[in-house]
Amino acid sequence: MDFKLIGEDSKSKARAGEITTDHGKIETPIFMPVGTAGTVKAVHIRDIKEDTNAQIILGNTYHLYLRPGLDVLEPAGGLHKFNGWDRPILTDSGGYQVYSLSGTRKLTEEGVIFQSHIDGSRHSFTPERVMDIERTIGADIMMAFDECTPYPCDYDYAAKSLGITHSWLDRCIKRFNETECPYGHKQALFPIVQGSTFRDLRVKSAEYIASKNAEGNAIGGLSVGEPHDIMYEMTELVCNILPKDKPRYLMGVGTPANIIEGISQGVDMFDCVMPTRNGRNGMLFTSEGIINIKNKKWEKDFSPIDENGLSFVDSQYTRAYLRHLFAARETLGPMIASLHNLGFYLWLAKTARKHIIEGTFTEWKSMILPKLTHRL
RNA sequence: GUGAUUGUAGCUCAGUUGGCAGAGCACUGGAUUGUGGUUCCAGGGGUCGCGGGUUCAAGCCCCGUCUUUCACC
């Protein structure tokens, strides 16, 4: 993996760059659609590639390990071959899922013993095991196994958890260096900064992660319910410590406004379930504001979904028709809304990049921000 | 025609000994941040078939009437 900076904004920390992987280039800042179970829910691979122009998607170690399992993914030739996505893939390590999904779990210095949310079966994740699984999935970017602390989180727990995350990182790096991709392409390992909402823990973690000189670095443990200003404060703090010449990935963020703020603080990569999950539930992010397509006010609105949108669904379908699909619980409704939202998120990142390169990012940001939170 | 039976929110139905009219679904809003195609929160909505009567008080008891379904002539 390679990363080079293309341009920097003079009035903020925003920067434009380019990541090169064996599966192609990623122009940053970038939004990465989430494809937890090997699919970006309700959207065809063809539409993600050709309509939203996404350059990288996510997969999830926890979910893919449980289903379909490595005994399917390995003979399939890895996730790229399995789902037909030939551009870059990033796999989340499962640390977040062990925290958010698993009913009963036991966390020790060694690793985590958890129960499957599907059938209750017991499994064990250690840093070594997670590295092996991510090798078998074959993602271009593998995330280190961490513990995502909840919010709120008391200081003692956050400090103890951080120690575990750091020691797990060392074991991830060791295993990563001892193994290689079974399919022949290169894989990168990104460590994750934790430390909850405590400045000293975040600084300590960011310095530790920076010292590993990884090919890219991630900020985790945010967007878990804390106020936005705390999220921004922690992001800014950490970005000032993480190396400038490596991509920075803010995990799980966020709303369009969160992403613009993150970009201005020097974050290069984002992922979030919001465009797809909220899309499936009728919430649309458009160029003029946020729409709840289920609202009665759209019942007889025969205007296009988003007259400025670049996705084919934006002009193909009307708001009234999309509302009807949701009211009738037709499968096409969530499909249209998901594709539209992904198109909008990708447009947002691409347009931010253009303005960073042209030197007009700050002006554009102050123009676009009110529209991103406005409700139609 | 006779004997039973039914009628309460848009729908399906609870409603105790007579004591503030309820639920689920639907509808109207809101939430959702490294995804279990969800889930959660809030709100609006009633001439208790209709007309009388008893009672401090009736969805509930009494009388009449209409209505639903069933059985028998």
Side-chain angles (χ1 to χ4, degrees):
Chain A
M1 204 196 89
D2 179 60
F3 179 66
K4 64 177 177 186
L5 281 172
I6 305 284
E8 292 176 67
D9 183 49
S10 56
K11 296 171 191 160
S12 73
K13 298 284 176 61
R15 68 252 192 94
E18 187 176 275
I19 298 170
T20 305
T21 74
D22 284 355
H23 283 97
K25 291 185 188 306
I26 303 161
E27 295 181 324
T28 62
I30 190 67
F31 177 78
M32 308 181 284
V34 178
T36 307
T39 163
V40 178
K41 293 183 192 298
V43 187
H44 288 285
I45 290 284
R46 184 194 65 183
D47 290 340
I48 298 169
K49 282 179 70 169
E50 298 176 9
D51 197 90
T52 73
N53 294 307
Q55 300 171 54
I56 172 172
I57 63 172
L58 261 67
N60 186 274
T61 302
Y62 170 93
H63 289 279
L64 292 169
Y65 157 82
L66 288 178
R67 194 167 52 192
L70 303 184
D71 58 333
V72 172
L73 284 169
E74 201 274 326
L79 186 56
H80 289 92
K81 292 265 170 52
F82 190 53
N83 70 4
W85 174 262
D86 57 8
R87 292 180 186 172
I89 293 176
L90 179 151
T91 39
D92 186 21
S93 65
Y96 184 82
Q97 280 63 39
V98 168
Y99 135 78
S100 70
L101 285 182
S102 198
T104 56
R105 66 194 170 104
K106 192 174 178 216
L107 191 143
T108 65
E109 184 69 38
E110 174 58 21
V112 178
I113 295 169
F114 62 95
Q115 278 188 280
S116 161
H117 69 280
I118 300 167
D119 61 7
S121 55
R122 282 183 171 73
H123 303 267
S124 169
F125 270 8
T126 62
E128 293 79 12
R129 181 76 178 127
V130 168
M131 289 297 99
D132 293 348
I133 297 168
E134 292 194 80
R135 284 291 195 195
T136 301
I137 295 170
D140 300 270
I141 298 172
M142 300 168 36
M143 300 308 298
F145 190 52
D146 65 338
E147 192 202 2
C148 181
T149 50
Y151 178 84
C153 178
D154 68 67
Y155 184 89
D156 289 345
Y157 186 88
K160 190 181 168 212
S161 172
L162 185 61
I164 291 175
T165 287
H166 286 174
S167 80
W168 284 0
L169 173 61
D170 292 341
R171 288 162 60 189
C172 282
I173 292 171
K174 182 167 184 290
R175 187 60 154 234
F176 179 78
N177 289 334
E178 292 167 353
T179 55
E180 57 185 28
C181 177
Y183 315 112
H185 59 268
K186 287 197 185 67
Q187 294 179 284
L189 173 65
F190 281 23
I192 303 170
V193 174
Q194 289 290 345
S196 188
T197 53
F198 305 103
R199 291 182 67 93
D200 64 319
L201 295 181
R202 284 282 172 183
V203 168
K204 181 181 170 189
S205 185
E207 287 172 346
Y208 190 77
I209 267 59
S211 75
K212 300 299 175 182
N213 200 29
E215 294 182 271
N217 301 290
I219 305 165
L222 294 176
S223 66
V224 289
E226 77 285 1
H228 282 179
D229 55 346
I230 292 181
M231 180 174 84
Y232 296 145
E233 180 191 344
M234 293 299 134
T235 304
E236 181 181 29
L237 186 65
V238 169
C239 280
N240 286 335
I241 298 169
L242 292 178
K244 202 177 165 184
D245 60 343
K246 300 289 168 58
R248 303 175 185 135
Y249 165 29
L250 181 54
M251 304 183 78
V253 174
T255 65
N258 291 161
I259 288 172
I260 295 302
E261 289 294 347
I263 289 172
S264 71
Q265 291 177 322
V267 176
D268 307 294
M269 304 162 73
F270 302 85
D271 79 281
C272 191
V273 303
M274 195 169 275
T276 42
R277 177 192 283 165
N278 288 27
R280 284 197 305 281
N281 288 301
M283 187 171 176
L284 306 182
F285 299 94
T286 77
S287 57
E288 295 301 317
I290 297 169
I291 289 177
N292 182 347
I293 200 65
K294 293 192 278 195
N295 286 170
K296 198 170 184 64
K297 63 197 286 190
W298 310 116
E299 190 176 32
K300 291 175 184 169
D301 186 325
F302 302 107
S303 59
I305 293 172
D306 186 352
E307 60 182 359
N308 301 314
L310 300 177
S311 174
F312 87 88
V313 295
D314 293 331
S315 49
Q316 174 78 50
Y317 303 106
T318 66
R319 292 172 178 178
Y321 179 64
L322 185 56
R323 176 182 139 88
H324 157 68
L325 293 178
F326 271 94
R329 291 188 157 77
E330 283 290 338
T331 306
L332 185 59
M335 291 173 69
I336 291 170
S338 297
L339 186 57
H340 159 80
N341 279 347
L342 288 177
F344 179 74
Y345 267 65
L346 267 299
W347 169 84
L348 192 67
K350 187 177 185 175
T351 304
R353 186 176 197 269
K354 182 177 78 109
H355 284 287
I356 293 167
I357 292 170
E358 292 174 355
T360 52
F361 175 75
T362 302
E363 293 75 12
W364 174 75
K365 178 187 164 191
S366 60
M367 186 276 293
I368 195 86
L369 218 43
K371 292 185 178 182
L372 298 179
T373 51
H374 178 243
R375 298 189 75 93
L376 293 178

